[in-house]
Amino acid sequence: MSELPPCPKCQSVYTYEDGALLICPECGHEWTPGTEENGEPEFKDANGNLLADGDTVTVIKDLKLKGSSQVLKVGTKVKNIRLVEGDHNIDCKIDGFGAMKLKSEFVKKI
Ligand SMILES: [Zn+2]
C-alpha cells in the first residue's frame, strides 16, 4: 500500500485515488498528485500554521531592521500580509516602519 498525501486544502488524511486524481472526501478537493509541490509554495508561521494573504500576524522575536537602527519589537502586530516567494516571504506594511519584508518563521498567526 502506498501512502497517499493528505489533502492540501484541509489536511484530511482520508484522501483516495480515482485514476490520476486524488480526491478528498471531506472538503471535495480534487487534484493531480505532484502538482501541489511544484505549484504554490506553502507559507508557515513559527508554529507551522499555514499563512494566507491578508492574515494578521505578530512578530515573535525582536528583529533588527537592515540598514537602520530600528528594531521591530516582539509582539508587533502586522496586518494584511502578502505572501511572496523568497527568503523573506512576507511583504507587509507596518505603522511607523513602512513597507518591509519579513520571514514567516519569525511571525505567528493571530
Ligand atoms: Zn480536503
Side-chain angles (χ1 to χ4, degrees):
M1 291 265 305
S2 66
E3 207 164 289
L4 296 173
C7 173
K9 278 205 165 165
C10 71
Q11 311 306 319
S12 165
V13 296
Y14 302 109
T15 50
Y16 61 91
E17 277 178 299
D18 185 7
L21 280 178
L22 287 175
I23 298 174
C24 171
E26 298 203 25
C27 72
H29 184 52
E30 297 179 3
W31 73 103
T32 311
T35 56
E36 295 293 331
E37 286 129 56
N38 304 326
E40 294 290 298
E42 286 193 342
F43 298 96
K44 289 185 178 164
D45 72 3
N47 296 325
N49 292 316
L50 283 178
L51 297 168
D53 283 352
D55 276 351
T56 299
V57 298
T58 56
V59 176
I60 58 157
K61 58 177 263 184
D62 287 354
L63 298 173
K64 272 203 189 125
L65 301 181
K66 259 189 199 161
S68 99
S69 56
Q70 286 182 299
V71 175
L72 198 58
K73 289 276 183 203
V74 59
T76 303
K77 206 186 263 191
V78 185
K79 286 183 197 162
N80 201 18
I81 61 169
R82 205 168 62 84
L83 299 165
V84 294
E85 278 186 70
D87 184 35
H88 289 67
N89 48 12
I90 295 177
D91 235 353
C92 58
K93 242 185 186 171
I94 302 173
D95 291 345
F97 290 93
M100 68 174 64
K101 287 191 166 181
L102 299 173
K103 290 189 182 187
S104 61
E105 68 215 67
F106 295 140
V107 303
K108 86 181 170 203
K109 192 171 170 168
I110 53 172

